[in-house]
Amino acid sequence: MCLPGIAAAGIGLSTVAAAQSQPRRPTLTLAPSQTFELALQARGGSAHDRGGAAREQRNSASEQSGAAREQRNSASEQSGAAREQRNSASEQSGAARKQGNAASGKSGSPSSHALERAPSLPVPVEFRRALVRAQLALSPVCRRHCGTTRLIRDDAMQAAGEMRPRRNYTLLAVNPPAAESWRFAFGHDAPLLVVAHEYGHHLDYVNRLGGVSSGDPWRQELMADVIAGCVLARAGVPRRNVIRGSRRVAHLAFDHYWERPHGADMVAALDSGYRRCRGDTPTLAALVRDTRASWDMTRPGPLRPPRAASPWL
């Protein structure tokens, strides 16, 4: 009954003896100061590794930012080159526009020095009112073919008024000091006469009535006088004022070899337009047709430059 117990005890004793007979492994024992130093080294190495990784990330971000900056600089240079091309094209277009305006000319040959000048002097109120009166007087006559006009002041030109056609409108230039020469004949109605005459050139030009398109200065000047007479009639200028002014102008003998007709011819055209529009509202075509005898004439002799500056229209 006791044999199994003894055998088990024998096995346990042999196992313990075998374990005690095996050689022991050497154990490393560190002082507390050495353990602290190893911990610091391990921690420092880990922080150093993390700092290096962060530095590499910053360097990579800096390189990406530099590449983006170079792309923006390249785009800016391309935009600047495109802007220079647009400016160059705009300058070429402006030069072409100036050449076109110089080629288009004025009814009765404008002064070349004033083609593209934009005078900054204010237009006197009496001339601005005169343009409004002329437009209101002729709006039932020209109807939908009155065109667009702009009034400017230019004291440097020789004449009292000048018509300067543009692409989509017409400049009506006035010279108030030169217009004073007409006050001796027409008094306070002189600004209306000057503006109405240039407005007549404008209507002749935009509607191709036969004056400007004929190329004959006498025809276009006399047609403008006809239309100016119509303006005076429809604006309510008394007949006696027109007759008195016409008598003072009729004796003037303009140079035959200049573009301006004689005073007598101008008075006849002015009176013809006045009589046709007094108490009536003809169409523009009817006005030109019914007054043809007073404006359809050719200047005598060849046209030559004037010998001196003229103050007349």
Side-chain angles (χ1 to χ4, degrees):
M1 295 295 295
C2 293
L3 289 176
I6 294 172
I11 296 171
L13 292 173
S14 62
T15 304
V16 172
Q20 292 177 354
S21 63
Q22 293 179 356
R24 294 184 179 181
R25 297 180 180 177
T27 303
L28 179 61
T29 304
L30 298 175
S33 60
Q34 294 176 342
T35 305
F36 181 71
E37 289 179 359
L38 290 176
L40 286 179
Q41 292 177 0
R43 189 177 304 163
S46 178
H48 180 74
D49 294 339
R50 289 196 299 270
R55 193 177 302 108
E56 290 180 358
Q57 291 179 356
R58 288 195 298 272
N59 292 337
S60 177
S62 177
E63 292 177 357
Q64 293 177 357
S65 176
R69 191 179 303 107
E70 290 180 358
Q71 291 179 357
R72 289 195 298 269
N73 293 337
S74 177
S76 177
E77 292 177 357
Q78 293 177 358
S79 176
R83 191 180 303 109
E84 291 180 358
Q85 291 179 356
R86 288 195 300 269
N87 293 337
S88 177
S90 177
E91 292 177 358
Q92 294 177 358
S93 176
R97 191 179 302 112
K98 289 182 180 180
Q99 292 178 358
N101 291 336
S104 62
K106 164 197 177 279
S107 75
S109 61
S111 54
S112 59
H113 69 278
L115 281 174
E116 287 300 324
R117 182 170 57 250
S120 58
L121 295 175
V123 179
V125 64
E126 56 184 351
F127 287 91
R128 288 189 272 117
R129 290 176 179 173
L131 178 59
V132 173
R133 291 179 67 186
Q135 291 174 333
L136 291 176
L138 291 182
S139 59
V141 177
C142 55
R143 299 178 183 179
R144 297 181 180 180
H145 306 285
C146 299
T148 304
T149 57
R150 297 180 186 177
L151 191 64
I152 63 172
R153 177 176 178 175
D154 187 359
D155 293 356
M157 63 184 181
Q158 297 178 355
E162 190 174 77
M163 189 272 292
R164 303 172 185 175
R166 294 297 183 265
R167 184 182 299 273
N168 298 319
Y169 63 95
T170 302
L171 286 178
L172 302 182
V174 294
N175 184 356
E180 290 296 321
S181 59
W182 286 99
R183 289 189 184 274
F184 86 98
F186 293 94
H188 64 276
D189 292 320
L192 179 60
L193 176 65
V194 172
V195 173
H197 178 88
E198 300 307 324
Y199 195 72
H201 281 312
H202 159 70
L203 293 180
D204 179 18
Y205 177 78
V206 298
N207 294 284
R208 298 183 179 276
L209 300 179
V212 176
S213 58
S214 69
D216 188 285
W218 279 53
R219 283 195 180 99
Q220 60 192 21
E221 292 297 333
L222 292 176
M223 180 176 290
D225 290 332
V226 167
I227 298 176
C230 181
V231 170
L232 295 179
R234 295 187 55 79
V237 176
R239 172 73 173 168
R240 62 179 179 274
N241 293 0
V242 178
I243 293 176
R244 183 177 63 251
S246 299
R247 287 175 179 174
R248 293 178 178 178
V249 175
H251 73 280
L252 297 176
F254 294 96
D255 188 353
H256 283 206
Y257 299 101
W258 194 41
E259 62 186 35
R260 201 66 181 84
H262 293 296
D265 297 326
M266 189 201 78
V267 167
L270 190 69
D271 185 66
S272 177
Y274 189 99
R275 288 185 288 104
R276 180 63 183 85
C277 294
R278 184 178 55 179
D280 192 11
T281 307
T283 64
L284 195 58
L287 173 63
V288 173
R289 181 186 65 246
D290 296 342
T291 59
R292 179 175 292 275
S294 61
W295 64 264
D296 191 8
M297 61 179 64
T298 306
R299 66 181 184 274
L303 180 65
R304 291 187 298 189
R307 288 189 292 271
S310 174
W312 310 109
L313 289 174

PDB file of all heavy atoms in Angstrom, residues 101-125:
ATOM      1  N   ASN A 101      -9.431 108.281 -88.337  1.00  0.00           N
ATOM      2  CA  ASN A 101     -10.082 109.577 -88.138  1.00  0.00           C
ATOM      3  C   ASN A 101      -9.461 110.639 -89.029  1.00  0.00           C
ATOM      4  O   ASN A 101     -10.151 111.507 -89.562  1.00  0.00           O
ATOM      5  CB  ASN A 101      -9.966 109.993 -86.668  1.00  0.00           C
ATOM      6  CG  ASN A 101     -10.808 109.118 -85.764  1.00  0.00           C
ATOM      7  OD1 ASN A 101     -11.784 108.518 -86.217  1.00  0.00           O
ATOM      8  ND2 ASN A 101     -10.433 109.017 -84.501  1.00  0.00           N
ATOM      9  N   ALA A 102      -8.141 110.582 -89.175  1.00  0.00           N
ATOM     10  CA  ALA A 102      -7.484 111.563 -90.049  1.00  0.00           C
ATOM     11  C   ALA A 102      -7.914 111.369 -91.493  1.00  0.00           C
ATOM     12  O   ALA A 102      -8.073 112.329 -92.245  1.00  0.00           O
ATOM     13  CB  ALA A 102      -5.967 111.428 -89.930  1.00  0.00           C
ATOM     14  N   ALA A 103      -8.134 110.108 -91.904  1.00  0.00           N
ATOM     15  CA  ALA A 103      -8.560 109.847 -93.274  1.00  0.00           C
ATOM     16  C   ALA A 103     -10.006 110.249 -93.499  1.00  0.00           C
ATOM     17  O   ALA A 103     -10.383 110.656 -94.596  1.00  0.00           O
ATOM     18  CB  ALA A 103      -8.381 108.367 -93.601  1.00  0.00           C
ATOM     19  N   SER A 104     -10.866 110.100 -92.436  1.00  0.00           N
ATOM     20  CA  SER A 104     -12.284 110.410 -92.621  1.00  0.00           C
ATOM     21  C   SER A 104     -12.502 111.904 -92.823  1.00  0.00           C
ATOM     22  O   SER A 104     -13.412 112.311 -93.548  1.00  0.00           O
ATOM     23  CB  SER A 104     -13.084 109.927 -91.407  1.00  0.00           C
ATOM     24  OG  SER A 104     -12.655 110.593 -90.244  1.00  0.00           O
ATOM     25  N   GLY A 105     -11.666 112.742 -92.124  1.00  0.00           N
ATOM     26  CA  GLY A 105     -11.736 114.169 -92.348  1.00  0.00           C
ATOM     27  C   GLY A 105     -12.984 114.808 -91.772  1.00  0.00           C
ATOM     28  O   GLY A 105     -13.737 114.217 -91.026  1.00  0.00           O
ATOM     29  N   LYS A 106     -13.237 116.032 -92.176  1.00  0.00           N
ATOM     30  CA  LYS A 106     -14.370 116.820 -91.743  1.00  0.00           C
ATOM     31  C   LYS A 106     -15.087 117.348 -92.969  1.00  0.00           C
ATOM     32  O   LYS A 106     -14.529 117.490 -94.024  1.00  0.00           O
ATOM     33  CB  LYS A 106     -13.877 117.994 -90.893  1.00  0.00           C
ATOM     34  CG  LYS A 106     -14.893 119.084 -90.694  1.00  0.00           C
ATOM     35  CD  LYS A 106     -14.234 120.346 -90.231  1.00  0.00           C
ATOM     36  CE  LYS A 106     -15.254 121.452 -90.092  1.00  0.00           C
ATOM     37  NZ  LYS A 106     -15.586 122.091 -91.299  1.00  0.00           N
ATOM     38  N   SER A 107     -16.377 117.659 -92.774  1.00  0.00           N
ATOM     39  CA  SER A 107     -17.080 118.319 -93.845  1.00  0.00           C
ATOM     40  C   SER A 107     -16.428 119.660 -94.064  1.00  0.00           C
ATOM     41  O   SER A 107     -16.397 120.505 -93.186  1.00  0.00           O
ATOM     42  CB  SER A 107     -18.542 118.534 -93.462  1.00  0.00           C
ATOM     43  OG  SER A 107     -18.652 119.583 -92.548  1.00  0.00           O
ATOM     44  N   GLY A 108     -15.885 119.866 -95.163  1.00  0.00           N
ATOM     45  CA  GLY A 108     -15.120 121.050 -95.412  1.00  0.00           C
ATOM     46  C   GLY A 108     -13.745 120.950 -94.829  1.00  0.00           C
ATOM     47  O   GLY A 108     -13.222 121.789 -94.312  1.00  0.00           O
ATOM     48  N   SER A 109     -13.013 119.982 -94.802  1.00  0.00           N
ATOM     49  CA  SER A 109     -11.617 119.811 -94.389  1.00  0.00           C
ATOM     50  C   SER A 109     -11.295 120.408 -93.028  1.00  0.00           C
ATOM     51  O   SER A 109     -11.200 121.614 -92.872  1.00  0.00           O
ATOM     52  CB  SER A 109     -10.663 120.407 -95.410  1.00  0.00           C
ATOM     53  OG  SER A 109     -10.826 121.755 -95.603  1.00  0.00           O
ATOM     54  N   PRO A 110     -11.185 119.552 -91.987  1.00  0.00           N
ATOM     55  CA  PRO A 110     -10.863 120.049 -90.655  1.00  0.00           C
ATOM     56  C   PRO A 110      -9.395 120.413 -90.531  1.00  0.00           C
ATOM     57  O   PRO A 110      -8.565 119.990 -91.309  1.00  0.00           O
ATOM     58  CB  PRO A 110     -11.197 118.850 -89.753  1.00  0.00           C
ATOM     59  CG  PRO A 110     -10.915 117.684 -90.642  1.00  0.00           C
ATOM     60  CD  PRO A 110     -11.274 118.116 -92.039  1.00  0.00           C
ATOM     61  N   SER A 111      -9.088 121.181 -89.511  1.00  0.00           N
ATOM     62  CA  SER A 111      -7.678 121.468 -89.235  1.00  0.00           C
ATOM     63  C   SER A 111      -7.033 120.215 -88.683  1.00  0.00           C
ATOM     64  O   SER A 111      -7.541 119.606 -87.751  1.00  0.00           O
ATOM     65  CB  SER A 111      -7.583 122.613 -88.222  1.00  0.00           C
ATOM     66  OG  SER A 111      -8.344 122.314 -87.071  1.00  0.00           O
ATOM     67  N   SER A 112      -5.896 119.810 -89.245  1.00  0.00           N
ATOM     68  CA  SER A 112      -5.273 118.542 -88.876  1.00  0.00           C
ATOM     69  C   SER A 112      -4.796 118.547 -87.435  1.00  0.00           C
ATOM     70  O   SER A 112      -4.744 117.514 -86.791  1.00  0.00           O
ATOM     71  CB  SER A 112      -4.089 118.261 -89.804  1.00  0.00           C
ATOM     72  OG  SER A 112      -3.141 119.313 -89.718  1.00  0.00           O
ATOM     73  N   HIS A 113      -4.458 119.732 -86.901  1.00  0.00           N
ATOM     74  CA  HIS A 113      -3.951 119.776 -85.544  1.00  0.00           C
ATOM     75  C   HIS A 113      -5.039 119.497 -84.524  1.00  0.00           C
ATOM     76  O   HIS A 113      -4.744 119.249 -83.363  1.00  0.00           O
ATOM     77  CB  HIS A 113      -3.358 121.167 -85.261  1.00  0.00           C
ATOM     78  CG  HIS A 113      -4.390 122.251 -85.195  1.00  0.00           C
ATOM     79  ND1 HIS A 113      -4.890 122.854 -86.328  1.00  0.00           N
ATOM     80  CD2 HIS A 113      -5.034 122.823 -84.148  1.00  0.00           C
ATOM     81  CE1 HIS A 113      -5.785 123.774 -85.973  1.00  0.00           C
ATOM     82  NE2 HIS A 113      -5.901 123.769 -84.669  1.00  0.00           N
ATOM     83  N   ALA A 114      -6.292 119.559 -84.910  1.00  0.00           N
ATOM     84  CA  ALA A 114      -7.384 119.415 -83.953  1.00  0.00           C
ATOM     85  C   ALA A 114      -8.136 118.113 -84.094  1.00  0.00           C
ATOM     86  O   ALA A 114      -9.157 117.924 -83.463  1.00  0.00           O
ATOM     87  CB  ALA A 114      -8.376 120.588 -84.130  1.00  0.00           C
ATOM     88  N   LEU A 115      -7.654 117.191 -84.919  1.00  0.00           N
ATOM     89  CA  LEU A 115      -8.411 115.969 -85.164  1.00  0.00           C
ATOM     90  C   LEU A 115      -8.566 115.127 -83.916  1.00  0.00           C
ATOM     91  O   LEU A 115      -9.630 114.592 -83.663  1.00  0.00           O
ATOM     92  CB  LEU A 115      -7.718 115.148 -86.265  1.00  0.00           C
ATOM     93  CG  LEU A 115      -7.969 115.629 -87.681  1.00  0.00           C
ATOM     94  CD1 LEU A 115      -7.125 114.827 -88.647  1.00  0.00           C
ATOM     95  CD2 LEU A 115      -9.429 115.532 -88.047  1.00  0.00           C
ATOM     96  N   GLU A 116      -7.506 114.965 -83.142  1.00  0.00           N
ATOM     97  CA  GLU A 116      -7.567 114.078 -81.985  1.00  0.00           C
ATOM     98  C   GLU A 116      -7.390 114.813 -80.662  1.00  0.00           C
ATOM     99  O   GLU A 116      -7.276 114.185 -79.633  1.00  0.00           O
ATOM    100  CB  GLU A 116      -6.487 112.989 -82.098  1.00  0.00           C
ATOM    101  CG  GLU A 116      -6.793 111.937 -83.123  1.00  0.00           C
ATOM    102  CD  GLU A 116      -8.095 111.208 -82.824  1.00  0.00           C
ATOM    103  OE1 GLU A 116      -8.409 110.982 -81.638  1.00  0.00           O
ATOM    104  OE2 GLU A 116      -8.805 110.895 -83.774  1.00  0.00           O
ATOM    105  N   ARG A 117      -7.362 116.142 -80.701  1.00  0.00           N
ATOM    106  CA  ARG A 117      -7.224 116.872 -79.460  1.00  0.00           C
ATOM    107  C   ARG A 117      -8.564 116.911 -78.729  1.00  0.00           C
ATOM    108  O   ARG A 117      -9.611 117.106 -79.351  1.00  0.00           O
ATOM    109  CB  ARG A 117      -6.743 118.299 -79.737  1.00  0.00           C
ATOM    110  CG  ARG A 117      -6.538 119.105 -78.472  1.00  0.00           C
ATOM    111  CD  ARG A 117      -5.838 120.425 -78.758  1.00  0.00           C
ATOM    112  NE  ARG A 117      -6.561 121.235 -79.718  1.00  0.00           N
ATOM    113  CZ  ARG A 117      -6.138 121.460 -80.952  1.00  0.00           C
ATOM    114  NH1 ARG A 117      -5.027 120.907 -81.379  1.00  0.00           N
ATOM    115  NH2 ARG A 117      -6.823 122.210 -81.799  1.00  0.00           N
ATOM    116  N   ALA A 118      -8.566 116.711 -77.453  1.00  0.00           N
ATOM    117  CA  ALA A 118      -9.779 116.762 -76.659  1.00  0.00           C
ATOM    118  C   ALA A 118      -9.705 117.990 -75.751  1.00  0.00           C
ATOM    119  O   ALA A 118      -9.150 117.925 -74.656  1.00  0.00           O
ATOM    120  CB  ALA A 118      -9.954 115.502 -75.825  1.00  0.00           C
ATOM    121  N   PRO A 119     -10.214 119.136 -76.187  1.00  0.00           N
ATOM    122  CA  PRO A 119     -10.087 120.346 -75.395  1.00  0.00           C
ATOM    123  C   PRO A 119     -10.749 120.177 -74.035  1.00  0.00           C
ATOM    124  O   PRO A 119     -11.822 119.593 -73.910  1.00  0.00           O
ATOM    125  CB  PRO A 119     -10.796 121.400 -76.251  1.00  0.00           C
ATOM    126  CG  PRO A 119     -10.814 120.831 -77.637  1.00  0.00           C
ATOM    127  CD  PRO A 119     -10.899 119.359 -77.449  1.00  0.00           C
ATOM    128  N   SER A 120     -10.123 120.712 -73.006  1.00  0.00           N
ATOM    129  CA  SER A 120     -10.646 120.596 -71.654  1.00  0.00           C
ATOM    130  C   SER A 120     -11.377 121.851 -71.203  1.00  0.00           C
ATOM    131  O   SER A 120     -11.912 121.877 -70.104  1.00  0.00           O
ATOM    132  CB  SER A 120      -9.505 120.301 -70.680  1.00  0.00           C
ATOM    133  OG  SER A 120      -8.519 121.323 -70.741  1.00  0.00           O
ATOM    134  N   LEU A 121     -11.409 122.909 -72.031  1.00  0.00           N
ATOM    135  CA  LEU A 121     -12.098 124.134 -71.657  1.00  0.00           C
ATOM    136  C   LEU A 121     -13.605 123.886 -71.635  1.00  0.00           C
ATOM    137  O   LEU A 121     -14.144 123.173 -72.489  1.00  0.00           O
ATOM    138  CB  LEU A 121     -11.768 125.255 -72.642  1.00  0.00           C
ATOM    139  CG  LEU A 121     -10.308 125.721 -72.679  1.00  0.00           C
ATOM    140  CD1 LEU A 121     -10.110 126.750 -73.791  1.00  0.00           C
ATOM    141  CD2 LEU A 121      -9.906 126.317 -71.336  1.00  0.00           C
ATOM    142  N   PRO A 122     -14.300 124.460 -70.680  1.00  0.00           N
ATOM    143  CA  PRO A 122     -15.753 124.266 -70.636  1.00  0.00           C
ATOM    144  C   PRO A 122     -16.444 125.008 -71.770  1.00  0.00           C
ATOM    145  O   PRO A 122     -16.040 126.104 -72.164  1.00  0.00           O
ATOM    146  CB  PRO A 122     -16.134 124.839 -69.268  1.00  0.00           C
ATOM    147  CG  PRO A 122     -15.064 125.848 -68.964  1.00  0.00           C
ATOM    148  CD  PRO A 122     -13.808 125.281 -69.560  1.00  0.00           C
ATOM    149  N   VAL A 123     -17.498 124.400 -72.276  1.00  0.00           N
ATOM    150  CA  VAL A 123     -18.281 125.028 -73.342  1.00  0.00           C
ATOM    151  C   VAL A 123     -19.225 126.045 -72.710  1.00  0.00           C
ATOM    152  O   VAL A 123     -19.937 125.720 -71.746  1.00  0.00           O
ATOM    153  CB  VAL A 123     -19.083 123.969 -74.126  1.00  0.00           C
ATOM    154  CG1 VAL A 123     -19.898 124.628 -75.218  1.00  0.00           C
ATOM    155  CG2 VAL A 123     -18.144 122.933 -74.705  1.00  0.00           C
ATOM    156  N   PRO A 124     -19.255 127.279 -73.195  1.00  0.00           N
ATOM    157  CA  PRO A 124     -20.173 128.275 -72.620  1.00  0.00           C
ATOM    158  C   PRO A 124     -21.612 127.792 -72.670  1.00  0.00           C
ATOM    159  O   PRO A 124     -22.024 127.079 -73.584  1.00  0.00           O
ATOM    160  CB  PRO A 124     -19.951 129.504 -73.510  1.00  0.00           C
ATOM    161  CG  PRO A 124     -18.569 129.334 -74.044  1.00  0.00           C
ATOM    162  CD  PRO A 124     -18.385 127.859 -74.231  1.00  0.00           C
ATOM    163  N   VAL A 125     -22.370 128.196 -71.686  1.00  0.00           N
ATOM    164  CA  VAL A 125     -23.742 127.709 -71.562  1.00  0.00           C
ATOM    165  C   VAL A 125     -24.601 128.123 -72.754  1.00  0.00           C
ATOM    166  O   VAL A 125     -25.524 127.388 -73.149  1.00  0.00           O
ATOM    167  CB  VAL A 125     -24.350 128.210 -70.231  1.00  0.00           C
ATOM    168  CG1 VAL A 125     -24.449 129.723 -70.214  1.00  0.00           C
ATOM    169  CG2 VAL A 125     -25.705 127.577 -69.985  1.00  0.00           C
TER     170      VAL A 125
END
